[in-house]
Amino acid sequence: MLNRRHYLQGTALVGTAAALAACGLDEGGSGGDAGSGSGGSDGGGAGAVPFTIYTARDSALAEKVVADFEAAHPEWEGMATILTLGAQEALERVRAEKSNPQGDIWWGGTRQQLSQGAADGVLAPAPQDVVDAIPEEYRDPEGLWVGEMLLAELFMINTEMISGDEIPADWDDLLGEEYADNIVIRDVEASGTMRAIYCAMIDRLYDEAGSPEAGYEWLLGLDKNTATYAANPTDMYQRVSRQEAAISLWNLQDIMLQKNGDFPMFDAVVPTSGAPMLVDGLAKIADGPGGAGADAFISYLLSPEVQTSMAEEYYQIPAIELEQQPQWLADLGLTEMEVDWDRIAENEEEWIGHWASSIKGKG
């Protein structure tokens, strides 16, 4: 592995090394001219300059993808620096650096967060070949962000603690007395995944009263059954594996990576009423110092070859259409919960702010 600088590993995940060591991405093409996006020059030879990736993705996965990118494009070897942040932390950092950008790619953020970044004027269009390959419903109209994958939000369980009828079947089951102090939740405010899950729980009940109040009441019941709020994903995984709690709420990809890594006792449970399907994407940071590298990496990452490999090896549900669905996904029987993502995007700050000030720790 390259000698790569790491300024922060706030969401670094343990337990994926074994799963990742056995698999490699197809080298694939770059998906187009590396310099086709705005703000970047042609990414070859003397044009290659260092670039920085802010990512909320699994740290071992990000390292592997960057290493494979450099193997496919040797002119960029040693040029990438990875900075691991929570998705909300990445948004706040890009905003704070608007007058003097330090990053070049924001890799891993929700539709809502990326849309906020676009509205704040801190993002630049992705390479046009990438924009053209992403369905319209999974990208910004002007290409200021693009969806990479769909993240199913569901239950993570410790199979050594619960099984069979003990496992909650649907979202409302989580409020049952039998699950009191048996749920660990990743700190909500800093996590794109958890913000999306909590907002989906509010949105699914919104139409009953035309307000978020029913959703707030539901989250109060969940807080009552929550043993603790883990500081980061690593903390959450360790707490569940140590049997401090049997259940958490998380995204399918990370659950599968952990299950096939150091935490074989983990498993994913699809709620009977469906899983919110979150668009997780990436963006080029406006006026970043390494724009050419950003264009080259984004084009590589979103190429059909790489996305096919990531679907098969990393349990991703790509935003681009694949010729064939991976078998693991077909076997899962995943159903989607209908939620109004536009309403969520409009109200996320208010809803999560209310949860933090009036619900957390009060159930």
Side-chain angles (χ1 to χ4, degrees), residues 194-271:
M194 291 312 308
R195 291 170 75 98
I197 292 174
Y198 274 39
C199 284
M201 293 301 99
I202 296 172
D203 183 81
R204 74 188 179 103
L205 300 173
Y206 191 96
D207 292 332
E208 291 182 8
S211 79
E213 292 304 321
Y216 290 160
E217 189 67 25
W218 191 93
L219 289 177
L220 190 65
L222 182 65
D223 180 79
K224 182 179 180 180
N225 280 356
T226 299
T228 189
Y229 292 93
N232 52 57
T234 301
D235 185 24
M236 177 182 69
Y237 299 142
Q238 291 175 342
R239 288 177 183 274
V240 176
S241 70
R242 293 195 302 256
Q243 301 193 5
E244 294 180 22
I247 304 164
S248 190
L249 310 180
W250 202 233
N251 70 76
L252 173 62
Q253 183 188 34
D254 284 346
I255 296 171
M256 295 296 288
L257 286 171
Q258 302 310 314
K259 175 182 177 179
N260 290 278
D262 283 353
F263 301 108
M265 73 290 291
F266 289 178
D267 204 0
V269 177
V270 180

Side-chain angles (χ1 to χ4, degrees), residues 25 42 61 78 82 100 116 125 132 136 142 148 203 229 239 281 287 301 311-312 328 347 353 362:
L25 299 178
D42 193 85
L61 181 153
I82 301 171
N100 185 25
Q116 290 171 28
D132 292 342
E136 290 184 6
E142 298 178 2
E148 181 194 0
D203 183 81
Y229 292 93
R239 288 177 183 274
D287 302 318
L301 178 63
E312 294 172 348
W328 68 266
N347 292 283
K362 297 177 172 60

Side-chain angles (χ1 to χ4, degrees), residues 83-324:
L83 174 58
T84 305
L85 299 165
Q88 187 66 20
E89 294 168 318
L91 169 60
E92 293 167 0
R93 187 182 184 105
V94 173
R95 280 172 167 168
E97 294 175 347
K98 182 176 182 179
S99 62
N100 185 25
Q102 301 298 303
D104 301 288
I105 300 171
W106 171 11
W107 179 19
T110 66
R111 177 202 300 267
Q112 303 90 275
Q113 291 163 328
L114 291 162
S115 295
Q116 290 171 28
D120 289 342
V122 296
L123 307 180
Q128 192 61 47
D129 60 316
V130 171
V131 175
D132 292 342
I134 305 297
E136 290 184 6
E137 63 267 31
Y138 300 144
R139 60 174 168 83
D140 176 78
E142 298 178 2
L144 295 176
W145 62 266
V146 293
E148 181 194 0
M149 62 180 175
L150 306 181
L151 278 177
E153 313 295 349
L154 29 72
F155 307 159
M156 182 179 81
I157 63 168
N158 184 329
T159 59
E160 295 176 351
M161 295 182 69
I162 56 174
S163 61
D165 293 341
E166 299 171 331
I167 299 171
D170 209 354
W171 296 97
D172 290 342
D173 295 339
L174 296 171
L175 307 190
E177 293 182 357
E178 64 270 33
Y179 302 118
D181 292 326
N182 213 7
I183 300 173
V184 169
I185 298 292
R186 192 294 200 215
D187 180 49
V188 175
E189 291 179 274
S191 168
T193 289
M194 291 312 308
R195 291 170 75 98
I197 292 174
Y198 274 39
C199 284
M201 293 301 99
I202 296 172
D203 183 81
R204 74 188 179 103
L205 300 173
Y206 191 96
D207 292 332
E208 291 182 8
S211 79
E213 292 304 321
Y216 290 160
E217 189 67 25
W218 191 93
L219 289 177
L220 190 65
L222 182 65
D223 180 79
K224 182 179 180 180
N225 280 356
T226 299
T228 189
Y229 292 93
N232 52 57
T234 301
D235 185 24
M236 177 182 69
Y237 299 142
Q238 291 175 342
R239 288 177 183 274
V240 176
S241 70
R242 293 195 302 256
Q243 301 193 5
E244 294 180 22
I247 304 164
S248 190
L249 310 180
W250 202 233
N251 70 76
L252 173 62
Q253 183 188 34
D254 284 346
I255 296 171
M256 295 296 288
L257 286 171
Q258 302 310 314
K259 175 182 177 179
N260 290 278
D262 283 353
F263 301 108
M265 73 290 291
F266 289 178
D267 204 0
V269 177
V270 180
T272 54
S273 62
M277 298 288 284
L278 176 67
V279 177
D280 188 274
L282 69 155
K284 179 180 177 180
I285 299 172
D287 302 318
D295 288 338
F297 182 77
I298 292 171
S299 289
Y300 171 83
L301 178 63
L302 273 297
S303 67
E305 297 88 351
V306 172
Q307 286 298 303
T308 296
S309 291
M310 295 186 78
E312 294 172 348
E313 305 290 348
Y314 295 90
Y315 308 102
Q316 289 196 179
I317 307 174
I320 65 172
E321 286 197 25
L322 301 182
E323 292 185 2
Q324 184 173 353

